[in-house]
């Protein structure tokens, strides 16, 4: 071997020894807590590079969703560790223990959000989802009142109108409506609701709006392309998007630009109008709350845009996907659908539309949603970081209390499927049983909306919209799985797996849910 070879070899040896020493130090810092050891981590970019698990190398992408509670069962406790070597040795704790999760979510300063991971979501400006500390407090104080009772009522009334429009003007006289993927129905509904109750822009199933001066897209087109193109925006460097190498990139770039322009025009119009209209959409509420008594801005325009945009992002896909999984589950479990239908009929015996006041009586619709969210949580992992050297306490399956050291800067992930499929809290965790949400149920073991100070601000918005949609749809239509000859011989379990198959994305995404809606 020549000198160059020797030098190179020495570098490799020193590099490996250094990595090994650092890796041992990382393991030591978490008290060698049991868990998985791999060369690469299984989150961030690595979850896209390695889709499948390779023992010792990677756990593969979407492992928390694919493994559910199995990672914990394997180690006999509900907190396990991950340790990886490349790019830098690091550790992460996965937590599916309800008591430990409660401790983490109620200690915001000890376990804040790792804001670096959220930077990609600031393309319109800083916002409540991506902020921490004092900045988050300021955003929460200004944005939370936008989700007012008046807004909830608006969500309900507008959702009802959108559903009536769908039934009367789109599905019309058809007795049977078939879709290859229920997302084609749920995504526009969620978009129209956030359009009107979020942005104050009424949209209908038929495109009827005229193009305003200076725009090449209608508001609906811009909102739709932005909401479906967020991943393109996140994955593509800004210069590449501007150049528009592919048709999709060009469309996404134009849609983002135009949506921003629309939002700026809306701010301008509201500020310059002499008579302030009484409006309760999130955007109007936020605009009102963003000025102090002297009319001075409490939020910069970019912060206003950032926050209103994040409502769209946080609220649209989560809602559409949850509705899609809900319809799929009801189609697979007709006896549960019948129970829901009978309950709806007991609240609403005639064909009239439900009122906002009746929402609280529609408890079966809530139970169906909660059970769907338990089985298919849109956000499967909620990341936190230790702000100081601290500890977590977990109980192993023999009842022993274990104290786990958590060094400053190490990652802690609230493992939502691990918690939701944990047999300690849920009997038959893989079964669809909405009745488990009647009466008493383990509230600390249900985390679809996160918990504590950083829990979902739009929970009530979603529940209002979701209950109206589900109730109206099930009271008029029976949901069935679309029969396809190539799947005629499959078992129930195979059918269930196919209809409810999900992949990663911004949130857990149904892959293909072919359904039929039959007029009752
Ligand atoms: C099925 C529906 C929904 C689910 C499962 C859901 C879930 C979540 C989760 C898990 C978080 C915490 C995320 C984190 O810590 O990174 C969150 C935060 C948030 N969600 Fe939702 N969400 C839903 C609907 C909505 C809707 C409809 C809106 C608004 C219209 C919304 C607005 C927000 C906001 C603003 C936050 C940030 C709160 C903060 O950090 O203070 N969400 N949501």
């Amino acid at each position: 071997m020549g000198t160059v070879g020797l030098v190179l070899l020495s570098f490799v040896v020193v590099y490996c020894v250094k990595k090994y020493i650092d890796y041992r130090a990382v393991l030591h810092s978490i008290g060698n807590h049991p868990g998985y050891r791999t060369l690469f981590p299984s989150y961030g970019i690595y979850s896209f590079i390695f889709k499948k698990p390779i023992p010792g190398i990677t756990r593969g992408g979407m492992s928390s969703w694919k493994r559910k509670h199995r990672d914990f069962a394997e180690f006999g406790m509900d907190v396990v560790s991950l340790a990886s070597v490349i790019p830098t040795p690091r550790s992460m704790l996965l937590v599916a223990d309800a008591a430990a999760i409660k401790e983490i979510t109620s200690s915001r300063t000890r376990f804040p959000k790792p804001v670096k991971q959220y930077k990609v979501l600031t393309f319109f400006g800083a916002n409540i989802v991506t902020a921490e500390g004092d900045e988050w407090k300021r955003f929460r104080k200004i944005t939370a009142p936008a989700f007012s009772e008046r807004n909830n009522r608006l969500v309900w009334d507008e959702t009802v109108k959108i559903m009536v429009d769908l039934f009367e003007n789109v599905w019309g006289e058809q007795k049977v409506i078939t879709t290859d993927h229920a997302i084609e129905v749920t995504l526009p509904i969620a978009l129209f609701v956030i359009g009107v109750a979020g942005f104050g822009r009424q949209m209908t199933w038929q495109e009827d709006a005229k193009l305003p001066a200076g725009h090449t897209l209608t508001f609906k087109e811009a909102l739709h392309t932005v909401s479906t193109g967020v991943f393109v925006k996140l994955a593509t460097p800004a210069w590449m998007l501007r150049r528009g190498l592919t048709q999709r990139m060009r469309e996404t770039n134009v849609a983002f630009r135009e949506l921003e322009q629309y939002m700026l025009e809306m701010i301008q119009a509201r500020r310059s109008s002499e008579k302030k209209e009484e409006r309760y959409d999130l955007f109007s509420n936020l605009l009102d709350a963003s000025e102090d008594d002297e009319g001075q801005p409490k939020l910069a325009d970019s912060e206003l845009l950032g926050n209103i945009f994040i409502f769209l992002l946080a609220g649209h896909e989560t809602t559409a996907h949850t509705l899609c999984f809900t319809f799929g589950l009801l189609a697979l479990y007709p006896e549960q659908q019948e129970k829901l239908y009978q309950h709806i009929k007991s609240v609403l015996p005639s064909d009239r539309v439900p009122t906002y006041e009746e929402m609280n009586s529609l408890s079966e619709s809530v139970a169906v949603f909660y059970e769907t969210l338990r089985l298919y949580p849109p956000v499967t992992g909620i990341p936190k970081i230790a702000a100081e050297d601290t500890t977590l306490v977990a109980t192993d399956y023999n009842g022993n209390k274990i104290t786990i050291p958590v060094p400053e800067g190490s990652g802690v992930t609230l493992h939502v499927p691990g918690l939701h499929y944990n047999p300690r809290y849920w009997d038959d965790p893989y079964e669809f049983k909405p009745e488990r949400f009647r009466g008493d149920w383990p509230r600390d073991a249900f985390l679809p909306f996160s918990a504590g100070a950083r829990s979902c601000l739009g929970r009530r918005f979603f529940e209002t919209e979701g209950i109206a949609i589900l109730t109206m749809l099930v009271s008029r239509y029976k949901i069935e799985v679309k029969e396809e000859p190539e799947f005629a011989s499959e078992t129930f379990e195979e059918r269930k797996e196919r209809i409810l198959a999900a992949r990663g994305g911004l949130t857990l995404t149904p892959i293909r849910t072919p359904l039929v809606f039959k007029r009752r």
Side-chain angles (χ1 to χ4, degrees), residues 33-37 59 71-82 92-96 404 415:
H33 189 70
Y36 294 92
R37 313 289 176 240
R59 302 180 71 239
D71 283 344
F72 304 95
E74 212 158 274
F75 287 96
M77 70 183 84
D78 291 332
V79 180
V80 301
S81 71
L82 301 180
M92 156 91 77
L93 290 175
L94 303 181
V95 189
I404 307 152
H415 195 297

Side-chain angles (χ1 to χ4, degrees), residues 83-224:
S84 52
V85 184
I86 290 174
T88 40
R90 62 173 98 165
S91 69
M92 156 91 77
L93 290 175
L94 303 181
V95 189
D97 180 295
I101 285 178
K102 192 165 187 183
E103 192 186 335
I104 295 166
T105 53
S106 44
S107 325
R108 194 180 59 77
T109 46
R110 198 153 52 104
F111 293 105
K113 252 186 172 182
V115 279
K116 260 197 207 153
Q117 284 183 33
Y118 288 80
K119 271 281 169 286
V120 287
L121 296 178
T122 54
F123 22 72
F124 281 126
N127 60 70
I128 181 168
V129 170
T130 63
E132 245 309 340
D134 288 344
E135 190 185 34
W136 169 78
K137 264 197 212 154
R138 183 167 71 90
F139 286 156
R140 182 99 185 185
K141 200 167 155 209
I142 299 171
T143 58
F147 293 84
S148 61
E149 179 59 15
R150 295 252 175 128
N151 179 254
N152 289 331
R153 192 175 277 277
L154 178 73
V155 171
W156 182 275
D157 293 343
E158 293 297 338
T159 307
V160 168
K161 278 193 217 157
I162 289 162
M163 294 308 285
V164 169
D165 187 27
L166 171 70
F167 299 150
E168 288 181 358
N169 302 322
V170 185
W171 290 358
E173 295 303 308
Q174 295 176 75
K175 293 261 178 296
V176 178
I177 296 98
T178 305
T179 170
D180 273 337
H181 193 355
I183 274 291
E184 289 160 7
V185 177
T186 62
L187 214 54
I189 298 177
L191 189 77
F192 297 171
V193 176
I194 196 77
V196 62
F199 290 80
R201 306 284 295 226
Q202 207 117 30
M203 295 186 259
T204 60
W205 293 85
Q206 296 80 18
E207 184 55 86
D208 46 11
K210 285 217 184 77
L211 266 184
H215 285 277
T216 60
L217 300 174
T218 62
F219 181 78
K220 178 173 155 186
E221 286 165 342
L223 199 59
H224 175 73

Side-chain angles (χ1 to χ4, degrees), residues 113 118 128-129 136 140 314-315 318 322 378 382 448 454-456 458 462:
K113 252 186 172 182
Y118 288 80
I128 181 168
V129 170
W136 169 78
R140 182 99 185 185
T318 43
T322 303
I382 302 172
R454 301 283 328 225
S455 63
C456 177
F462 160 73

Side-chain angles (χ1 to χ4, degrees), residues 113 118 127-131 136 140 143 147 151 194 198 282 307 310-320 322-323 373 376-384 416 447-451 453-463 465:
K113 252 186 172 182
Y118 288 80
N127 60 70
I128 181 168
V129 170
T130 63
W136 169 78
R140 182 99 185 185
T143 58
F147 293 84
N151 179 254
I194 196 77
L282 299 177
N307 279 297
I310 215 72
F311 294 166
L312 164 72
L313 199 63
H316 165 244
E317 204 188 82
T318 43
T319 303
T322 303
L323 282 166
L373 286 166
Y376 295 89
V379 181
T380 54
I382 302 172
K384 304 282 178 191
V416 184
L447 204 69
F449 300 101
S450 192
R454 301 283 328 225
S455 63
C456 177
L457 203 47
R459 177 173 181 165
R460 181 83 178 155
F461 188 111
F462 160 73
E463 289 180 359
E465 161 182 19

